[in-house]
Amino acid sequence: MSFKTIIDIFVNNWPMFLRGAGMTIFISIIGTIIGTIIGLFVGIIRTIPKPERGAKRILLIVLNKILSIYIEFFRGTPMIVQSMVIFYGTAQAFGIQMNRVFAALLIVSINTGAYMSEIVRGGIVSIDNGQFEAAQAIGMNHMQTMMNVVLPQVIRNILPATGNEFVINVKDTSVLNVISVTELFFQTKSIAGATFKFFEPYFIVSIIYLIMTISITRILRSLERRMDGPANFIMAGNQMQVERPEDIVRKKKDI
């Protein structure tokens, strides 16, 4: 191994690294966006108050059970297993032939959706009950309360966790090589097989993954700062409390 060998492998194979990185970013972005939408949808349904009786209550209980199974299954099994089941398993069991890229997007999206639904539910629960009561007092139903009062705050609160899921997706797309999606790890494996060298290609790809994740983290932190708004906003806290605790104590002492 020498530094010159690493440079040579990169120079001779940079188009493959570039195509692999592009596919990794594409799958991660689309998967995270669709997964977040799934998470918002599931999170809202799981926080709908159950009526005391009637068909609506039974329907909501059944729906919650189905969503719980979905969340538990996709959070409790590895993505590599899900990939094999969804791509090869459905083809063998039901004759469903999927495009590999479509299958990759489907796998990443529903896997991310399972995690995001719990993050969204936690964001909704963190909102002060007084806001729900105030919205109901002026005649809003659950959906209107969510759309006009709760979700704008939830999206702001879950942004760091969403960014974390995005970074995880960038790294986890490497498991999609088992269904022959030409993402970054798959391209690196091909280069290693063609050159009979393993340290150099995988060292290069580790640097590429590192550059991508650090860049994404910096961009998302910049976005978070833009969405932070007023300096007195308290993340995931009671939105009625707009003063810092030390300011409240100082005011009491002044009195």
Side-chain angles (χ1 to χ4, degrees):
M1 192 277 291
S2 69
F3 187 70
K4 183 177 180 306
T5 310
I6 294 174
I7 296 294
D8 287 343
I9 288 177
F10 181 75
V11 170
N12 294 330
N13 300 284
W14 69 265
M16 291 182 72
F17 284 119
L18 187 62
R19 281 197 298 272
M23 180 60 77
T24 292
I25 291 293
F26 171 73
I27 294 171
S28 303
I29 290 175
I30 301 298
T32 304
I33 290 172
I34 297 176
T36 303
I37 293 170
I38 293 172
L40 285 169
F41 179 72
V42 174
I44 290 172
I45 290 178
R46 282 169 59 82
T47 55
I48 295 176
K50 293 184 184 67
E52 291 186 2
R53 62 178 67 87
K56 202 171 177 181
R57 176 182 172 82
I58 296 171
L59 179 66
L60 205 53
I61 290 173
V62 172
L63 194 55
N64 270 317
K65 288 289 182 191
I66 294 170
L67 293 177
S68 295
I69 293 170
Y70 156 66
I71 292 168
E72 293 299 329
F73 179 80
F74 282 96
R75 290 179 68 197
T77 56
M79 189 189 282
I80 192 168
V81 175
Q82 296 163 16
S83 304
M84 299 296 281
V85 170
I86 290 175
F87 186 72
Y88 295 115
T90 54
Q92 196 171 53
F94 307 108
I96 300 172
Q97 302 290 339
M98 277 188 271
N99 175 277
R100 295 181 193 280
V101 176
F102 174 79
L105 292 173
L106 180 66
I107 293 160
V108 175
S109 298
I110 56 181
N111 182 279
T112 304
Y115 286 93
M116 287 304 301
S117 60
E118 285 301 278
I119 293 170
V120 170
R121 192 172 68 87
I124 293 172
V125 171
S126 72
I127 302 298
D128 187 76
N129 278 335
Q131 296 194 31
F132 290 91
E133 293 167 1
Q136 289 171 1
I138 60 174
M140 286 188 182
N141 58 30
H142 185 74
M143 186 56 69
Q144 289 171 330
T145 304
M146 284 290 166
M147 299 302 294
N148 298 306
V149 180
V150 177
L151 282 187
Q153 299 175 70
V154 168
I155 290 172
R156 194 179 187 182
N157 285 340
I158 68 171
L159 192 59
T162 307
N164 192 43
E165 278 298 314
F166 186 20
V167 171
I168 290 171
N169 281 341
V170 169
K171 295 181 291 182
D172 281 358
T173 51
S174 59
V175 306
L176 298 171
N177 81 92
V178 297
I179 60 171
S180 301
V181 176
T182 55
E183 44 71 50
L184 187 54
F185 184 83
F186 182 89
Q187 298 282 23
T188 307
K189 196 167 70 171
S190 302
I191 294 168
T195 59
F196 296 104
K197 293 183 181 299
F198 292 88
F199 179 83
E200 293 84 353
Y202 287 110
F203 176 76
I204 292 169
V205 80
S206 66
I207 299 297
I208 295 174
Y209 273 119
L210 195 59
I211 291 171
M212 287 197 297
T213 54
I214 289 175
S215 302
I216 291 166
T217 303
R218 295 289 183 273
I219 292 170
L220 290 171
R221 282 183 185 165
S222 174
L223 182 61
E224 285 170 30
R225 282 195 292 272
R226 283 177 176 273
M227 292 185 70
D228 272 348
N232 56 6
F233 175 76
I234 299 175
M235 187 77 70
N238 181 348
Q239 304 304 303
M240 299 299 290
Q241 183 182 347
V242 295
E243 291 183 298
R244 295 180 302 173
E246 54 267 31
D247 293 337
I248 297 171
V249 172
R250 189 169 60 249
K251 281 184 180 179
K252 285 183 178 178
K253 285 182 179 177
D254 293 340
I255 294 171

